[in-house]
Amino acid sequence: MKVSGVDLLIVGAGPAGLAAAIAAKQSGLSRVRVIEREREAGGVPRHSFHTGYGMRDLHRVMNGPRYAARYISHTLDSGAEISTSTTAIDWVGERTIALTSPRGLEEVTADRIILATGARERGRNARVVAGTRPAGIYTTGSLQQSVYLRHQEIGSRAVIIGAEHVSFSAVMTLAHANVETVAMLTSEAHHQSYFPLHWGTALRYRYSLRTKTELLEILGRDRVSGVRVLTPRGEEVIECDTVVFSADWIPDHELARRGGLQMSDVTKSPIVNHLHETSRAGVYAIGNLLLPIKSADQCALEGSSLLSKNW
Amino acid sequence: MAKRVAPHVRTFDVAIIGAGVVGAAIARELAHFELSILLIDAKSDVGAGTSKANTAILHTGFDMVPGSLESRLVSRGYALLRDYAREVGISFESCGALLVAWNDEELANLSKIQEKAIANGYHETYLVGVDALYAKEPHLGSGALGALAVPGEWIIDPWSTTLAYATQAKSAGAILQLNTRVERISQSAHLHTLHTNQGEFEARYLVNAAGLYSDVIDAEFGFEDFVVTPRRGELMVFDKLARSLVSHILLPVPSSMGKGVLVSPTVFGNVMLGPTAENLSDKRATESSIAGLAFLQEKGRKIMPALLDEEITAIYAGLRAATEHPDFQISLHAPQRYVTVGGIRSTGLTASMAIAEHVRDLLTTSGLDLGQQGDLPAIHIPALGESGVRPYLNDELIAATPSYGEIVCHCERVTRGEIDAAMISPIPPRDQAALGRRTRATLGRCQGFYCHAEVRALLENAGGAL
């Protein structure tokens, strides 16, 4: 097993982690390493092909993959190292983490560690949805990877569960895959996104936003055939072959919890102080590991400002 | 070793309908002998019916009806499967069980259960006082009064068990015929003819291990010994981060309040809550219900409140092949050269190898000449349990094959090497669920948020379905 040491180890090469790496190099740290469990760095923007990225941090607008590519090249230019296909398995010391990758096992010790492991949407089981278990059920994240990265067949009629920003991203992804969004459901009284975003997508893609509507059950044997919902007017079946569970975020906090860091019961994120330091000295948390969910550029700004505050 | 048959041969010494844990165990047992064997199943994978939604407990049989066939076969099967698991690498953990009493009636029942265990030949149980109970299980909900410890109740990987039996039977020469639904059975003087959606197959002897459909197969012979009533059991599986909450299988104590639910660790490092029990008429009703899931959450919150704060990674519903009889329904119909193996409940996993021996003996008494017994080809099943060293932690393996260091399913830490190996295994997976049973891929907390698309692409490249 290999043993190594760095000044700063960043876990997660999404916008927050990469921005933090660039800032760390600029502030003069010499050995900065970002590890990423996926085969490619960039995080969620990699598979989010619609525009709107880069507004606050790069002061220009571009799509997700371009945005991710830009951060990757800036990071490499800065002299930080990115190790992809590399998973942080567990803590083996206060600031020592065990890694696995196709190059084998490694233990890396760092003066400081930044956790930037992001968040994911809860899927169907985590939301305790009853019914059958047919094919055709996605989260926005898995849908985007299927559509944009793998060009896989999706279906023809979709229902989206949730009405937050990311839900509208699901509408656009479905449209790209020639899938009609027939309805967007939220148990709340209103959608939880910007009004122009809703109006724009609703006008363009012609789905109905169903507020105060609860998903009861998924129908269909091999393939989704519909969803049974509870509306203010009673129960109803909406026919569809695809269901996308959007939003309802949970931080990817496994490493933080395995390290015994203090966690918030509410957000399930590590608890941090105003300097983003966790309950363990020298271990920081940034980006969407800290809920509520933020846009990519907000995460990147959090990553780049961390260094100026702290070190 | 089983007789090798040429690919075009459609006549066998023995045909077994149903490649669940019982049918596969019977095929493996018979494969020791000079027989040509057909193992047939309507689904696209072995163990894809009732066997796949088992509670995954290696039962001692302490609470069986003393003197029943089930009691005898579970006891014998326990020892056989424990040794077999060690031999071929099926994961198991010797965690032991605690029957937790929550009221005076249940507490009083513990000593009766202890006596029953002794009547079943199991002598290792002991009573646990309330303080000792909370010391053993500090996250147990408040209000428990005591427990009966059953140290021999273990947990095991149920999917790999069926897969190991079928793989070994196939390696020994048995023919595995999947996607093949038996539609009708006709008889001639010495042969059964199975009319299927894949054409006709003939066999001198026939074993009915068709699980939920065993009464339907029986009806082809005019037998009406039992009726299978599918009894749905819904189960919830909690994330690996919940595993540290519980050390033992926490069993309910049977009482006048009805049968409760269990909380059990799994060999994969999760925690399971369930099952419900609900008699249905539809043999395909494997959907989960709103009421069932609410019931489980309510029960779970009482048994272990902290468990309900963890993420749920999977929800299953399985159908037990329950009959109107309390015991296993295994019977030889000698004139027809036909053995029915019906009414096998969740204990069937533990009893499977003993059931197979029993069926072998029944076939022999009806005139089947087994011929010489030989050794089966040695096999090794990839261990999926957390108690062993998983491939992503095996530096030597990764050095030899770097894909064992490339994690595809991050939640379950399944590597590309394991997926590649499953794809070229003797019984390759044809869909995502089958791949999950072999590798754990996509069965974790993100439910495919990260790896669904990649796993789907790997399956499609290998010629499988979504």
Side-chain angles (χ1 to χ4, degrees), chain B residues 309-335:
Chain B
D309 292 336
E310 298 294 342
E311 295 291 302
I312 294 166
T313 60
I315 294 172
Y316 298 100
L319 297 175
R320 308 169 183 87
T323 72
E324 64 274 41
H325 306 288
D327 205 353
F328 287 170
Q329 296 297 299
I330 304 178
S331 50
L332 168 68
H333 304 281

Short mmCIF file of all heavy atoms in Angstrom, two decimals, chain B residues 309-335:
data_model
loop_
_atom_site.label_atom_id
_atom_site.label_comp_id
_atom_site.label_asym_id
_atom_site.label_seq_id
_atom_site.Cartn_x
_atom_site.Cartn_y
_atom_site.Cartn_z
N ASP B 309 -34.39 7.18 11.33
CA ASP B 309 -33.73 8.42 10.89
C ASP B 309 -32.77 8.16 9.73
O ASP B 309 -32.28 9.09 9.10
CB ASP B 309 -32.95 9.05 12.05
CG ASP B 309 -33.87 9.56 13.13
OD1 ASP B 309 -35.04 9.85 12.81
OD2 ASP B 309 -33.42 9.66 14.29
N GLU B 310 -32.47 6.89 9.48
CA GLU B 310 -31.54 6.56 8.40
C GLU B 310 -32.29 6.44 7.07
O GLU B 310 -33.50 6.25 7.04
CB GLU B 310 -30.78 5.26 8.72
CG GLU B 310 -29.93 5.35 9.98
CD GLU B 310 -28.77 6.33 9.85
OE1 GLU B 310 -28.39 6.69 8.71
OE2 GLU B 310 -28.25 6.76 10.90
N GLU B 311 -31.53 6.52 5.99
CA GLU B 311 -32.12 6.46 4.66
C GLU B 311 -32.55 5.03 4.33
O GLU B 311 -31.88 4.06 4.68
CB GLU B 311 -31.10 6.91 3.61
CG GLU B 311 -30.70 8.36 3.75
CD GLU B 311 -31.82 9.31 3.41
OE1 GLU B 311 -32.34 9.25 2.29
OE2 GLU B 311 -32.18 10.14 4.28
N ILE B 312 -33.67 4.92 3.64
CA ILE B 312 -34.14 3.61 3.16
C ILE B 312 -33.58 3.42 1.75
O ILE B 312 -33.76 4.26 0.88
CB ILE B 312 -35.68 3.57 3.15
CG1 ILE B 312 -36.18 3.65 4.60
CG2 ILE B 312 -36.19 2.31 2.46
CD1 ILE B 312 -37.65 3.94 4.72
N THR B 313 -32.87 2.32 1.57
CA THR B 313 -32.23 2.10 0.27
C THR B 313 -33.02 1.15 -0.61
O THR B 313 -32.83 1.14 -1.81
CB THR B 313 -30.81 1.55 0.42
OG1 THR B 313 -30.88 0.30 1.11
CG2 THR B 313 -29.95 2.49 1.22
N ALA B 314 -33.85 0.33 -0.01
CA ALA B 314 -34.61 -0.60 -0.84
C ALA B 314 -35.91 -0.97 -0.15
O ALA B 314 -35.99 -0.99 1.08
CB ALA B 314 -33.80 -1.88 -1.09
N ILE B 315 -36.92 -1.20 -0.94
CA ILE B 315 -38.20 -1.71 -0.45
C ILE B 315 -38.57 -2.90 -1.33
O ILE B 315 -38.59 -2.78 -2.55
CB ILE B 315 -39.29 -0.62 -0.52
CG1 ILE B 315 -38.95 0.52 0.46
CG2 ILE B 315 -40.66 -1.21 -0.21
CD1 ILE B 315 -39.86 1.73 0.34
N TYR B 316 -38.78 -4.03 -0.69
CA TYR B 316 -39.13 -5.22 -1.45
C TYR B 316 -40.49 -5.71 -1.00
O TYR B 316 -40.90 -5.46 0.12
CB TYR B 316 -38.19 -6.39 -1.12
CG TYR B 316 -36.76 -6.22 -1.44
CD1 TYR B 316 -35.84 -5.89 -0.46
CD2 TYR B 316 -36.32 -6.43 -2.74
CE1 TYR B 316 -34.50 -5.75 -0.76
CE2 TYR B 316 -34.98 -6.30 -3.04
CZ TYR B 316 -34.07 -5.97 -2.04
OH TYR B 316 -32.75 -5.84 -2.34
N ALA B 317 -41.14 -6.47 -1.84
CA ALA B 317 -42.27 -7.26 -1.39
C ALA B 317 -42.10 -8.64 -2.01
O ALA B 317 -41.94 -8.77 -3.21
CB ALA B 317 -43.59 -6.63 -1.83
N GLY B 318 -42.11 -9.65 -1.16
CA GLY B 318 -41.99 -11.02 -1.64
C GLY B 318 -43.28 -11.76 -1.37
O GLY B 318 -44.08 -11.34 -0.53
N LEU B 319 -43.50 -12.83 -2.10
CA LEU B 319 -44.70 -13.64 -1.89
C LEU B 319 -44.28 -15.01 -1.37
O LEU B 319 -43.55 -15.73 -2.04
CB LEU B 319 -45.48 -13.79 -3.20
CG LEU B 319 -46.02 -12.50 -3.79
CD1 LEU B 319 -46.66 -12.77 -5.15
CD2 LEU B 319 -47.03 -11.85 -2.86
N ARG B 320 -44.73 -15.34 -0.16
CA ARG B 320 -44.46 -16.67 0.37
C ARG B 320 -45.46 -17.64 -0.26
O ARG B 320 -46.63 -17.30 -0.44
CB ARG B 320 -44.65 -16.70 1.87
CG ARG B 320 -43.92 -15.62 2.65
CD ARG B 320 -44.44 -15.63 4.07
NE ARG B 320 -43.89 -14.61 4.93
CZ ARG B 320 -44.37 -13.38 5.05
NH1 ARG B 320 -45.37 -12.97 4.31
NH2 ARG B 320 -43.83 -12.53 5.90
N ALA B 321 -44.98 -18.84 -0.56
CA ALA B 321 -45.87 -19.84 -1.16
C ALA B 321 -46.59 -20.58 -0.04
O ALA B 321 -46.38 -21.76 0.19
CB ALA B 321 -45.05 -20.80 -2.03
N ALA B 322 -47.47 -19.88 0.65
CA ALA B 322 -48.15 -20.47 1.82
C ALA B 322 -49.28 -21.39 1.37
O ALA B 322 -49.93 -21.15 0.35
CB ALA B 322 -48.71 -19.36 2.70
N THR B 323 -49.50 -22.43 2.14
CA THR B 323 -50.63 -23.33 1.87
C THR B 323 -51.52 -23.37 3.12
O THR B 323 -51.20 -22.76 4.13
CB THR B 323 -50.17 -24.76 1.56
OG1 THR B 323 -49.68 -25.36 2.76
CG2 THR B 323 -49.07 -24.78 0.50
N GLU B 324 -52.59 -24.17 3.04
CA GLU B 324 -53.48 -24.29 4.19
C GLU B 324 -52.89 -25.23 5.25
O GLU B 324 -53.44 -25.37 6.33
CB GLU B 324 -54.87 -24.78 3.74
CG GLU B 324 -54.91 -26.17 3.12
CD GLU B 324 -54.61 -26.19 1.62
OE1 GLU B 324 -53.69 -25.46 1.18
OE2 GLU B 324 -55.27 -26.96 0.89
N HIS B 325 -51.74 -25.86 4.97
CA HIS B 325 -51.12 -26.79 5.91
C HIS B 325 -49.97 -26.11 6.64
O HIS B 325 -49.27 -25.29 6.06
CB HIS B 325 -50.59 -28.02 5.16
CG HIS B 325 -51.63 -28.68 4.32
ND1 HIS B 325 -52.68 -29.40 4.85
CD2 HIS B 325 -51.81 -28.71 2.96
CE1 HIS B 325 -53.44 -29.86 3.87
NE2 HIS B 325 -52.94 -29.43 2.71
N PRO B 326 -49.72 -26.49 7.90
CA PRO B 326 -48.63 -25.84 8.63
C PRO B 326 -47.25 -26.32 8.21
O PRO B 326 -46.26 -25.64 8.41
CB PRO B 326 -48.92 -26.21 10.09
CG PRO B 326 -49.75 -27.46 10.03
CD PRO B 326 -50.51 -27.40 8.75
N ASP B 327 -47.16 -27.53 7.62
CA ASP B 327 -45.86 -28.12 7.35
C ASP B 327 -45.50 -28.00 5.86
O ASP B 327 -46.34 -27.68 5.02
CB ASP B 327 -45.89 -29.61 7.77
CG ASP B 327 -44.50 -30.15 8.10
OD1 ASP B 327 -43.51 -29.43 7.88
OD2 ASP B 327 -44.43 -31.30 8.57
N PHE B 328 -44.23 -28.28 5.54
CA PHE B 328 -43.81 -28.42 4.14
C PHE B 328 -44.70 -29.48 3.48
O PHE B 328 -45.09 -30.46 4.13
CB PHE B 328 -42.36 -28.92 4.05
CG PHE B 328 -41.30 -27.90 4.40
CD1 PHE B 328 -39.97 -28.30 4.55
CD2 PHE B 328 -41.60 -26.55 4.57
CE1 PHE B 328 -38.97 -27.40 4.86
CE2 PHE B 328 -40.59 -25.64 4.87
CZ PHE B 328 -39.28 -26.06 5.01
N GLN B 329 -45.00 -29.33 2.23
CA GLN B 329 -45.82 -30.30 1.49
C GLN B 329 -44.94 -31.01 0.46
O GLN B 329 -44.91 -30.65 -0.71
CB GLN B 329 -46.99 -29.59 0.81
CG GLN B 329 -47.97 -28.96 1.79
CD GLN B 329 -48.64 -30.01 2.66
OE1 GLN B 329 -49.33 -30.89 2.17
NE2 GLN B 329 -48.41 -29.94 3.97
N ILE B 330 -44.18 -31.99 0.92
CA ILE B 330 -43.28 -32.72 0.02
C ILE B 330 -43.81 -34.15 -0.10
O ILE B 330 -43.92 -34.86 0.90
CB ILE B 330 -41.84 -32.74 0.57
CG1 ILE B 330 -41.36 -31.29 0.79
CG2 ILE B 330 -40.91 -33.46 -0.40
CD1 ILE B 330 -39.98 -31.17 1.38
N SER B 331 -44.18 -34.54 -1.30
CA SER B 331 -44.75 -35.87 -1.43
C SER B 331 -44.35 -36.54 -2.73
O SER B 331 -44.21 -35.88 -3.77
CB SER B 331 -46.28 -35.80 -1.33
OG SER B 331 -46.76 -34.80 -2.21
N LEU B 332 -44.15 -37.84 -2.61
CA LEU B 332 -43.83 -38.66 -3.78
C LEU B 332 -45.11 -39.25 -4.34
O LEU B 332 -45.92 -39.80 -3.60
CB LEU B 332 -42.88 -39.80 -3.35
CG LEU B 332 -42.68 -40.92 -4.38
CD1 LEU B 332 -41.91 -40.41 -5.59
CD2 LEU B 332 -41.96 -42.09 -3.73
N HIS B 333 -45.29 -39.11 -5.64
CA HIS B 333 -46.39 -39.79 -6.32
C HIS B 333 -45.72 -40.85 -7.19
O HIS B 333 -45.42 -40.60 -8.36
CB HIS B 333 -47.19 -38.79 -7.16
CG HIS B 333 -47.71 -37.63 -6.35
ND1 HIS B 333 -48.82 -37.71 -5.54
CD2 HIS B 333 -47.24 -36.37 -6.18
CE1 HIS B 333 -49.03 -36.56 -4.94
NE2 HIS B 333 -48.09 -35.73 -5.30
N ALA B 334 -45.46 -42.02 -6.56
CA ALA B 334 -44.61 -43.03 -7.19
C ALA B 334 -45.14 -43.50 -8.54
O ALA B 334 -44.36 -43.61 -9.50
CB ALA B 334 -44.41 -44.20 -6.23
N PRO B 335 -46.44 -43.78 -8.67
CA PRO B 335 -46.90 -44.28 -9.97
C PRO B 335 -46.62 -43.28 -11.10
O PRO B 335 -46.40 -43.68 -12.25
CB PRO B 335 -48.41 -44.47 -9.77
CG PRO B 335 -48.61 -44.54 -8.29
CD PRO B 335 -47.54 -43.71 -7.69
#
